[in-house]
Amino acid sequence: MLNNESNVDLIKKYNPLYIGKLKRLPSPSNLIIDIHSYCNASCKVCPYADLSRHLTMGHMEECLFKRIIDEFSLIAKNYPVRAHVIFCNMGELFIDPNVFDKISYVLESGLKLIIQTNASLLTPRRVDKLIATGFKGPIYISCHGITKSVYKNVMGLDINKTLNNIDYLIKHYPRNLIRIRAISYKWPVGEALKVKKYWKERSVQVKIFLPNSRAGLVFNCTSWKSKYPGNKLKGCKKTLPLRDMVIAFNGDAVLCCEDMGRKAVLGNLKDKSIVEVWNSEQAKDILEKIFSGKPADDDFICKKCEFGVSTLFKKIIEILDHEWHRLLRCHI
């Protein structure tokens, strides 16, 4: 395994990877790190409940976490990357009792932290501790509904507790940095308007999304993937594998944030550096299957994902999806 200093030199040995007209730099621009793999919610739009029964779960070892942050910090100081870090693609970051130490470690390294949370554990005490770390970045909050029964049905949490936490956050943190993300899973008529109205009255930004199957893992969510024989991939609507590295608690680097089932592993950071894994043969093989038309098995993860671009049918659905989101974004 290479040390951090040699990793910077190693970057210089790799050229950007061109896949058609797309360019992938020899280092990720952002890291999404599962400091642990646990969540306190039971969202019907997320495969966590099922995956937690089948996948190995745990906390990332402190030495591995620090080595990843140290290496990425060194990369960011020597290479033009965005240097964004997000905790917990798999779970809820505030479950970790040492989360504020980890937040401080990231900030002290010079990297930019982005928080995504369901806010049910972001109590006033934790808000104060968060602010005390010097954190000044955006906070994305998953809040899938505003009516108590709707929210409970989708997320399995108490909305009164969550909203009390968010109210305290609004009073003590810049509102323009608080962003609500809502997924409209089986909402009754009028719920979308209620959601938009509630957050508009508080001058907090909200975006409403359609549910997706998380690459076929959430069977009760609408999926518009094509199942025609011979279906070939022609790209990825989100192009996340070209810029983000998602790291599971055990060090596995997976394809993207949609790969919660850890189906496409690029390598493991316990025995290789970020740069080595990012430029691994496994990574190149997977990228060629996504963007260059390299043959892939029918069960290849991107063929099950709504964001994989392939057939004309899917393209039509993507246009309808775009129009739906445009309507949801319209002002009341």
Side-chain angles (χ1 to χ4, degrees), residues 9-36:
D9 293 333
L10 184 61
I11 292 178
K12 299 175 182 178
K13 297 181 182 179
Y14 288 107
N15 294 316
L17 180 64
Y18 288 92
I19 309 174
K21 296 180 179 179
L22 298 174
K23 178 181 179 182
R24 186 179 189 257
L25 295 175
S27 173
S29 283
N30 313 300
L31 295 186
I32 302 173
I33 305 173
D34 273 340
I35 55 176
H36 63 78

Side-chain angles (χ1 to χ4, degrees), residues 120-331:
S120 66
L121 298 178
L122 187 54
T123 60
R125 183 180 65 85
R126 290 193 175 104
V127 169
D128 292 342
K129 292 185 71 173
L130 176 63
I131 294 172
T133 65
F135 174 76
K136 297 179 181 179
I139 300 175
Y140 291 90
I141 299 174
S142 299
C143 188
H144 308 320
I146 203 64
T147 304
K148 184 174 183 178
S149 59
V150 171
Y151 180 88
K152 179 71 173 179
N153 177 57
V154 181
M155 301 188 68
L157 298 171
D158 180 357
I159 195 169
N160 291 330
K161 179 180 178 181
T162 299
L163 294 181
N164 286 337
N165 290 343
I166 298 175
D167 284 345
Y168 185 87
L169 179 66
I170 289 172
K171 293 175 182 177
H172 296 83
Y173 199 75
R175 297 185 187 210
N176 65 306
L177 294 177
I178 303 170
R179 289 108 188 242
I180 304 298
R181 287 172 166 172
I183 296 177
S184 57
Y185 174 79
K186 295 185 178 180
W187 282 1
V189 175
E191 185 70 14
L193 292 177
K194 291 178 182 178
V195 167
K196 291 181 70 67
K197 182 174 183 292
Y198 183 91
W199 297 115
K200 183 178 181 181
E201 288 175 347
R202 287 154 181 79
S203 300
V204 173
Q205 182 188 118
V206 59
K207 284 190 176 181
I208 303 175
F209 300 89
L210 289 173
N212 76 81
S213 71
R214 300 306 292 261
L217 290 174
V218 188
F219 301 107
N220 58 341
C221 284
T222 302
S223 176
W224 53 85
K225 60 183 179 295
S226 172
K227 295 182 181 178
Y228 297 127
N231 180 27
K232 292 183 178 181
L233 287 166
K234 295 182 179 178
C236 171
K237 180 179 177 182
K238 298 173 78 172
T239 64
L240 297 178
L242 300 179
R243 61 180 184 272
D244 295 351
M245 175 178 275
V246 181
I247 307 168
F249 83 96
N250 63 356
D252 280 344
V254 299
L255 178 59
C256 75
C257 60
E258 298 296 326
D259 188 9
M260 293 180 69
R262 307 175 203 159
K263 294 294 185 181
V265 179
L266 313 183
N268 189 284
L269 293 174
K270 284 187 176 182
D271 52 26
K272 286 184 171 57
S273 70
I274 291 173
V275 178
E276 287 177 303
V277 170
W278 186 252
N279 294 281
S280 68
E281 290 303 315
Q282 298 100 302
K284 292 178 182 178
D285 177 66
I286 291 170
L287 291 172
E288 288 173 356
K289 289 176 180 177
I290 299 171
F291 297 103
S292 297
K294 185 175 182 177
D297 295 336
D298 287 340
D299 63 351
F300 181 58
I301 182 172
C302 297
K303 288 189 175 183
K304 301 178 181 180
C305 180
E306 286 87 344
F307 300 106
V309 179
S310 55
T311 64
L312 176 62
F313 171 77
K314 181 176 288 187
K315 187 64 178 177
I316 293 172
I317 296 300
E318 287 173 355
I319 293 172
L320 294 175
D321 174 35
H322 173 77
E323 287 301 304
W324 171 245
H325 282 86
R326 184 184 65 79
L327 291 173
L328 288 176
R329 287 194 293 267
C330 290
H331 293 294

